[in-house]
C-alpha cells in the first residue's frame, strides 16, 4: 500500500465547478504539503500544514483552499475551477527528521 | 520568491556516459535534497545532505553539499536507460522562513540505449 495516497488520480471537469482533491498518509508525519506541477515550472507550493491547527499559504495559494481534517488527511479545494488550474497536483508529507515524501499525483484537467 | 538555479535544464546522453547536474543559490542553505521523478509518478528522494562539504553516494549516484553552502551537485555514473526522468534539487534556507523547501526547476535526462 502507498504511504501517501492521492484521490482521484485523474479528473476532468468543467470551468466553474468545485473540486476537491484528497490526500491521506500512513507515515505518521505531522507535516503535509500541496504542490502544483506545470511543464517547465517545476514544483510550486500551494499550501502547507505543520499540524492539524496549522495552515500556511505557499507561493501560489490564490484560487485554492485547504483543510487539515486530521493528522493523516489534507485536502485541497478549488472553489470555482478555471482552465489555467489544469496541472498535475502532488501531496507530500514530512516530519522534523524526514524529508518530504510524495504521493503519485492527481492529473486535473479543466475544460 | 527564492529560487534555485538548476542546470542544465535538459540533457541527452548515450548509455554508459556519466552525468553531472548542479544547483546554485545566492542564499545559504542548511539542507540539500535531490529527487527523481519518473513519468506519471511523484518525485522520489535520492540523496539528502545536511552538512557543508558532505559527499554522499547512493549506488551510481553521488551528491555533494558545497562548502559555501550555496550549491550542490549530483553525479550519475555509467548511465542506464532507467535513469531517464526529471531530477530536482531542493534546499532549506539557513535563516528566514525555513519551514518550506526551495525547489529548482528540474533537469530532464534522456538516455539513448
Amino acid at each position: 500500500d502507498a504511504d501517501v495516497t492521492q484521490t482521484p488520480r485523474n479528473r476532468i471537469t468543467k470551468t466553474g465547478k468545485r473540486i476537491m482533491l484528497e490526500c491521506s498518509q500512513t507515515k505518521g508525519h505531522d507535516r503535509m504539503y500541496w504542490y502544483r506541477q506545470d511543464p517547465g515550472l517545476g514544483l510550486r507550493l500551494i499550501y502547507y500544514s505543520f499540524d492539524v491547527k496549522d495552515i500556511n499559504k505557499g507561493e501560489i495559494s490564490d484560487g485554492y483552499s485547504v483543510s487539515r481534517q486530521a493528522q493523516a488527511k489534507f485536502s485541497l479545494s478549488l472553489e470555482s475551477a478555471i482552465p489555467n488550474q489544469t496541472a498535475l497536483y502532488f501531496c507530500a508529507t514530512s516530519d522534523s527528521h524526514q524529508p518530504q515524501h510524495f504521493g503519485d499525483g492527481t492529473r486535473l484537467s479543466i475544460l | 520568491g527564492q529560487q534555485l538555479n538548476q542546470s542544465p535544464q535538459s540533457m541527452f546522453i548515450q548509455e554508459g556516459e556519466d552525468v553531472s547536474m548542479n544547483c546554485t543559490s545566492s542564499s545559504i542553505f542548511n539542507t540539500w535534497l535531490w529527487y527523481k521523478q519518473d513519468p506519471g509518478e511523484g518525485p522520489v528522494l535520492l540523496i539528502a545532505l545536511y552538512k557543508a562539504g558532505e559527499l554522499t553516494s547512493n549506488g551510481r549516484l553521488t551528491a555533494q553539499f558545497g562548502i559555501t553552502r550555496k550549491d550542490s551537485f549530483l553525479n550519475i555514473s555509467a548511465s542506464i536507460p532507467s535513469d531517464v526522468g526529471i531530477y530536482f534539487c531542493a534546499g532549506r534556507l539557513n535563516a528566514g522562513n525555513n519551514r518550506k523547501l526551495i525547489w529548482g526547476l528540474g533537469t530532464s535526462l534522456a538516455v539513448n540505449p
Side-chain angles (χ1 to χ4, degrees):
Chain A
D1 287 340
D3 296 320
V4 181
T5 302
Q6 292 185 233
T7 55
R9 290 296 314 277
N10 293 281
R11 177 81 184 269
I12 301 173
T13 192
K14 294 182 180 178
T15 298
K17 294 290 188 182
R18 184 178 186 274
I19 301 158
M20 181 179 288
L21 308 184
E22 307 271 7
C23 178
S24 63
Q25 53 121 342
T26 58
K27 297 187 72 68
H29 289 168
D30 52 359
R31 304 173 185 186
M32 298 187 75
Y33 310 80
W34 274 105
Y35 287 92
R36 166 179 174 158
Q37 186 176 31
D38 299 276
L41 296 179
L43 292 161
R44 294 185 290 167
L45 185 63
I46 306 172
Y47 273 95
Y48 62 104
S49 168
F50 272 30
D51 67 37
V52 175
K53 291 183 168 52
D54 179 68
I55 300 290
N56 303 279
K57 292 183 177 181
E59 56 185 297
I60 54 162
S61 59
D62 287 349
Y64 302 94
S65 63
V66 290
S67 174
R68 185 81 185 268
Q69 305 95 317
Q71 188 189 41
K73 294 183 184 297
F74 193 35
S75 59
L76 175 72
S77 294
L78 288 69
E79 295 301 325
S80 179
I82 55 177
N84 74 3
Q85 291 177 311
T86 292
L88 192 53
Y89 290 84
F90 287 103
C91 174
T93 74
S94 72
D95 63 21
S96 58
H97 303 293
Q98 296 293 324
Q100 291 180 24
H101 183 92
F102 285 79
D104 282 336
T106 294
R107 186 170 297 279
L108 179 62
S109 297
I110 300 163
L111 306 177
Chain B
Q2 291 280 346
Q3 270 202 330
L4 291 180
N5 296 311
Q6 185 171 351
S7 65
Q9 187 176 24
S10 62
M11 303 180 73
F12 187 85
I13 62 171
Q14 293 295 122
E15 183 176 359
E17 288 183 1
D18 297 342
V19 172
S20 184
M21 59 191 79
N22 70 84
C23 278
T24 61
S25 172
S26 58
S27 301
I28 292 174
F29 283 71
N30 61 27
T31 300
W32 284 99
L33 306 171
W34 285 93
Y35 285 82
K36 182 194 177 195
Q37 183 179 25
D38 290 324
E41 298 182 14
V44 174
L45 181 70
L46 298 174
I47 293 177
L49 303 161
Y50 299 105
K51 291 183 185 177
E54 181 180 357
L55 183 71
T56 298
S57 292
N58 177 5
R60 293 178 296 107
L61 279 61
T62 302
Q64 185 159 30
F65 192 141
I67 289 290
T68 66
R69 300 169 72 185
K70 294 181 179 181
D71 63 335
S72 177
F73 71 74
L74 174 71
N75 288 342
I76 306 172
S77 62
S79 59
I80 58 179
S82 63
D83 290 333
V84 165
I86 304 176
Y87 292 79
F88 291 100
C89 64
R92 195 180 307 282
L93 289 170
N94 193 47
N97 185 351
N98 61 0
R99 301 179 78 194
K100 53 186 180 178
L101 292 176
I102 311 297
W103 290 84
L105 295 183
T107 295
S108 179
L109 178 64
V111 179
N112 191 29

